[in-house]
Amino acid sequence: MLLRFGQHLIKPSVVFLKTDPLFALVNRKPVVPGNILVCPMWSVECFCDLHRDEVADLFPATQRAGTVVEKYFQGASLTFSVQDGLEAGQTVKHVHVRVLPRKAGDVHRNDSIYDELQKHDKDGEASPASWRSEEAMAAEAAALQAYVQ
C-alpha cells in the first residue's frame, strides 16, 4: 500500500520504520548520507495543526529513527530539523522531522548544515535527475530495518 507524503506517493520499500501513527523513510535526495524523514501517517501540513498526542508520538519515534541512522551511518551526532511553512523552507506540505546523522567535517563549518538545507530546499523537487534510484533507496531502507528494535 502506498503512503502519502504531501504531494508524493511513497512506496513501502523506502520506509524502514512504521507504527500506527507515523512512518520513517529514506530521503531520495539526502543532504548528508543517512538523511531520513519521520512523518505522521496522515497528511498534516503545519506542525501547529498536530494534536497533542500526535506530537507526543512523533518525537519518541524520531528519537528511535535517529538512533538507527546514527548507528548505521556511524554518526557522532544528529541534527533534527522541522521546517514548518514555505518561508521556513518546507517544500513538502506534510509535517516531517528531518534527521541528519553528523560526522566531524561533514560540512565546512558545523552551522553550514543550515546553508546546505537552504540550498537543498532551493533545488526543490524539480530535478528528478538528482534523485536516488528506487532500488538504492529500498536497499538503504532494508539495511536500516535491521537496526530497528
Side-chain angles (χ1 to χ4, degrees):
M1 178 174 95
L2 296 176
L3 298 170
R4 182 158 295 283
F5 176 51
Q7 63 270 31
H8 305 286
L9 292 176
I10 304 299
K11 293 182 179 178
S13 61
V14 303
V15 173
F16 69 93
L17 175 66
K18 186 176 172 188
T19 66
D20 189 36
L22 57 87
F23 62 99
L25 68 149
V26 300
N27 198 327
R28 67 179 171 193
K29 190 178 170 200
V31 176
V32 295
N35 174 178
I36 57 114
L37 307 172
V38 182
C39 321
M41 192 65 72
W42 44 93
S43 187
V44 177
E45 189 172 328
C46 297
F47 187 80
C48 65
D49 292 335
L50 291 172
H51 296 284
R52 185 175 292 201
D53 58 331
E54 294 168 330
V55 174
D57 290 333
L58 183 60
F59 284 97
T62 300
Q63 183 180 40
R64 185 174 169 202
T67 300
V68 167
V69 295
E70 187 175 28
K71 283 181 186 174
Y72 182 78
F73 287 94
Q74 301 172 345
S77 301
L78 295 167
T79 295
F80 298 93
S81 173
V82 178
Q83 294 162 286
D84 192 32
L86 183 62
E87 291 77 10
Q90 183 182 23
T91 57
V92 177
K93 294 180 179 185
H94 189 136
V95 171
H96 57 284
V97 180
R98 182 186 303 269
V99 182
L100 306 158
R102 303 293 306 280
K103 296 180 180 181
D106 59 357
V107 293
H108 175 67
R109 286 180 314 106
N110 186 47
D111 282 349
S112 295
I113 195 69
Y114 302 107
D115 298 330
E116 293 298 318
L117 281 168
Q118 185 176 18
K119 178 183 167 194
H120 178 272
D121 295 336
K122 283 185 180 175
D123 290 345
E125 302 292 324
S127 52
S130 65
W131 297 347
R132 296 191 299 161
S133 71
E134 293 285 336
E135 295 80 16
M137 292 171 59
E140 183 175 299
L144 291 173
Q145 282 177 340
Y147 285 76
V148 175
Q149 298 176 7

